[in-house]
Amino acid sequence: MGRLRRHSIIRTLPAHFPLRLRRMTLVALGINHRTATLDVRERVAFTPAQLEQALSELRELPQVHEAAVLSTCNRTELYCVTGEGGEQALHEWLGRFHDMPVESLAHCAYHFLEADAARHLMRVAVGLDSMVLGEPQILGQLKEAYQAARDARGLGGELEGLFQQTFAVAKQVRTETGIGRNPVSVAYAAVSLASRIFDDLGKSRALLVGAGETIELVARHLHEAGVRRLTVANRTQERASQLAAPLGGQAISLDEMPDALSSADIVIASTASALPVLGKGMVERALKKRRHRPVFMVDIAVPRDIEPEVGELGDVFLYTVDDLQEVIAENRRHRQLEADQAESLIESGVDRWQHERRLRSGGELIRDVRAHGESLRDAARDQALARLARGEDPEEVVRRLAHQLTNRLLHRPTLALRDAAADDRRDLMDAAAHLLLDEPSDPSR
């Protein structure tokens, strides 16, 4: 009989011995704002109604063992544990689900495997891969994706461990770095500057001039900062009401602005007017009524909404959009420094994930090996008991039991060691000696 090869040993293992020799691969596949246009991102996004169906279909793919889907306005990503051919199967499924040619999808899709996939997920979680560096919303969206995958029974030990490690890293980054503290938008920078001038924004009154997208963001940031006395002045009062009402604010027309100005501690303007809507005279009159209590004013508009001469008045702190851009640029530099520290924490997180993954994989193999040994033991025991029941000599039964059990336990390791020796696999020989003899193998013996 010819020499039995290693692959033959694996192939002829009994069915009741489920050795986990097939390597599962962690795959991250997706598109984002850097790789795909808005049109493509809209086509590939999953609505909440589609998400349950998508997770169900992913789990039914023979190559996919675990799956989670992250879908936001800026990215759609699949995180899966797959077998052989899993990456291609995911590409094809994603195109099929959204009725897109796989070739078109491949032009804007990216993929990461194993540690690179884990690193990417952690970078996403802390906002390092976001359009706005360090933005915090993505972590909440990722937690929702995790919960959806759990509800759909798409998570196993691999993804569960990865997500838990990711959340731990995100918490550490938020705690130990300031990556999310510095404003990087015009609206947020304006509110941040206001908080430096007033000790307690909650006691301040704010007047917002305009009702466009930027002013809407300003209103939200002010409300989150504790400002409850909010007035929105706009050419169309109905639009001002739509913006102010959800925040408990008041809406007025531009004609009513002079009266509101005298009670405003914070004034932020952003209209589409070709001429200033706040002049020096109007502000002077308001300051007299205020008895020269300071006013913080920000002109975000281009062309300007506030006459530049207003900045010459005492007790007025006037900033323009250019001033805010300087603040934003400085904050971006600060965020980049914090991002470098976050990258270091992520690398430590990837190392911990890999370590825990190896331990988990080893635990599975240990359980399989023990189950195999116990199966051989039970078979030998049952045969011995049957012989005793037939009246055979107990001493002879025990000798045969010991002999059979030793041969069955060592048969396959012995064949594998012969193959290893024939192929000069010193790594396997040394590992076997360490595992079975607790000493290195000696080729001279």
Side-chain angles (χ1 to χ4, degrees):
M1 180 176 175
R3 184 161 54 90
L4 190 63
R5 307 300 299 172
R6 280 187 301 278
H7 64 270
S8 299
I9 294 173
I10 294 173
R11 188 168 57 244
T12 56
L13 282 173
H16 62 266
F17 184 24
L19 258 179
R20 302 179 188 273
L21 294 173
R22 279 194 311 160
R23 179 61 184 261
M24 297 293 101
T25 301
L26 173 65
V27 178
L29 169 68
I31 63 169
N32 65 17
H33 57 282
R34 293 190 182 91
T35 67
T37 64
L38 178 59
D39 289 342
V40 173
R41 298 202 305 273
E42 287 176 338
R43 287 189 64 184
V44 181
F46 293 91
T47 65
Q50 291 176 320
L51 192 56
E52 184 177 352
Q53 177 190 350
L55 288 167
S56 176
E57 289 187 14
L58 278 171
R59 289 179 59 233
E60 291 175 0
L61 294 177
Q63 301 91 340
V64 176
H65 302 274
E66 301 178 37
V69 176
L70 173 64
S71 187
T72 73
C73 57
N74 284 329
R75 71 179 65 245
T76 294
E77 294 179 336
L78 311 179
Y79 292 91
C80 300
V81 177
T82 70
E84 186 176 356
E87 184 184 344
Q88 182 62 30
L90 291 177
H91 269 282
E92 294 173 355
W93 174 83
L94 189 60
R96 189 166 59 249
F97 190 95
H98 293 292
D99 195 24
M100 285 185 66
V102 177
E103 297 77 16
S104 300
L105 195 58
H107 287 308
C108 55
Y110 48 82
H111 69 274
F112 300 97
L113 305 178
E114 297 292 280
D116 289 335
R119 183 178 296 104
H120 177 72
L121 178 60
M122 293 179 191
R123 295 187 81 254
V124 168
V126 302
L128 293 185
D129 196 58
S130 296
M131 185 178 294
V132 176
L133 182 65
E135 61 93 4
Q137 289 83 5
I138 186 64
L139 180 59
Q141 293 166 329
L142 188 60
K143 288 181 177 179
E144 292 174 0
Y146 162 77
Q147 189 59 52
R150 285 197 69 180
D151 294 343
R153 301 183 184 276
L155 300 185
E158 285 288 336
L159 284 185
E160 180 69 39
L162 174 61
F163 274 103
Q164 292 304 325
Q165 186 62 242
T166 297
F167 296 148
V169 168
K171 181 178 180 180
Q172 185 181 16
V173 168
R174 293 291 168 183
T175 301
E176 299 183 16
T177 76
I179 191 169
R181 295 179 195 142
N182 298 304
V184 290
S185 70
V186 168
Y188 196 86
V191 176
S192 178
L193 280 174
S195 67
R196 298 180 191 178
I197 293 174
F198 298 97
D199 294 333
D200 185 358
L201 282 181
K203 297 178 180 179
S204 303
R205 293 178 180 268
L207 170 63
L208 307 184
V209 185
E213 182 178 344
T214 300
I215 287 295
E216 184 175 3
L217 287 174
V218 168
R220 290 179 186 173
H221 289 314
L222 284 172
H223 191 266
E224 290 170 0
V227 176
R228 294 296 178 265
R229 292 176 292 182
L230 188 71
T231 301
V232 179
N234 191 53
R235 182 177 57 83
T236 305
Q237 193 167 343
E238 182 182 358
R239 169 58 185 153
S241 297
Q242 293 174 353
L243 192 157
L247 303 176
Q250 177 187 4
I252 63 174
S253 66
L254 292 181
D255 293 336
E256 300 173 271
M257 193 167 53
D259 291 334
L261 188 60
S262 62
S263 61
D265 305 302
I266 299 168
V267 179
I268 301 177
S270 178
T271 75
S273 175
L275 298 172
V277 295
L278 281 168
K280 183 178 179 181
M282 185 191 300
V283 177
E284 275 184 314
R285 291 188 290 273
L287 286 174
K288 288 179 181 179
K289 292 182 180 179
R290 291 177 57 80
R291 296 184 180 179
H292 298 283
R293 284 182 289 117
V295 180
F296 170 75
M297 307 184 79
V298 182
D299 188 352
I300 302 177
V302 179
R304 299 185 192 187
D305 278 336
I306 303 175
E307 286 184 347
E309 291 77 13
V310 170
E312 301 170 1
L313 297 173
D315 303 314
V316 172
F317 298 87
L318 175 62
Y319 294 85
T320 68
V321 68
D322 288 342
D323 297 323
L324 294 184
Q325 292 300 339
E326 292 177 9
V327 173
I328 291 169
E330 180 63 24
N331 286 344
R332 281 203 183 102
R333 287 192 289 272
H334 283 304
R335 280 203 176 189
Q336 189 56 57
L337 292 174
E338 302 294 344
D340 294 340
Q341 184 181 354
E343 295 281 14
S344 177
L345 294 174
I346 286 172
E347 287 306 312
S348 297
V350 172
D351 289 342
R352 288 194 300 272
W353 170 75
Q354 289 180 310
H355 176 71
E356 292 173 3
R357 191 188 195 199
R358 288 192 293 267
L359 290 178
R360 187 165 55 249
S361 176
E364 293 172 353
L365 179 59
I366 289 170
R367 286 193 294 273
D368 284 345
V369 169
R370 290 189 66 87
H372 178 54
E374 290 166 359
S375 175
L376 295 177
R377 177 203 64 196
D378 292 346
R381 178 201 60 203
D382 292 344
Q383 290 177 356
L385 290 174
R387 293 191 183 98
L388 289 174
R390 290 197 298 268
E392 295 186 20
D393 178 26
E395 187 174 340
E396 179 60 26
V397 169
V398 170
R399 288 196 184 94
R400 290 189 64 179
L401 171 64
H403 180 74
Q404 287 179 346
L405 189 56
T406 300
N407 282 345
R408 290 175 182 178
L409 286 172
L410 296 180
H411 176 65
R412 296 189 186 283
T414 299
L415 293 177
L417 282 171
R418 286 177 180 171
D419 269 358
D423 293 344
D424 196 26
R425 290 293 306 276
R426 299 302 309 167
D427 55 333
L428 294 179
M429 298 285 285
D430 288 341
H434 177 72
L435 291 171
L436 301 176
L437 303 176
D438 198 25
E439 61 183 39
S441 59
D442 183 355
S444 64
R445 288 193 305 182

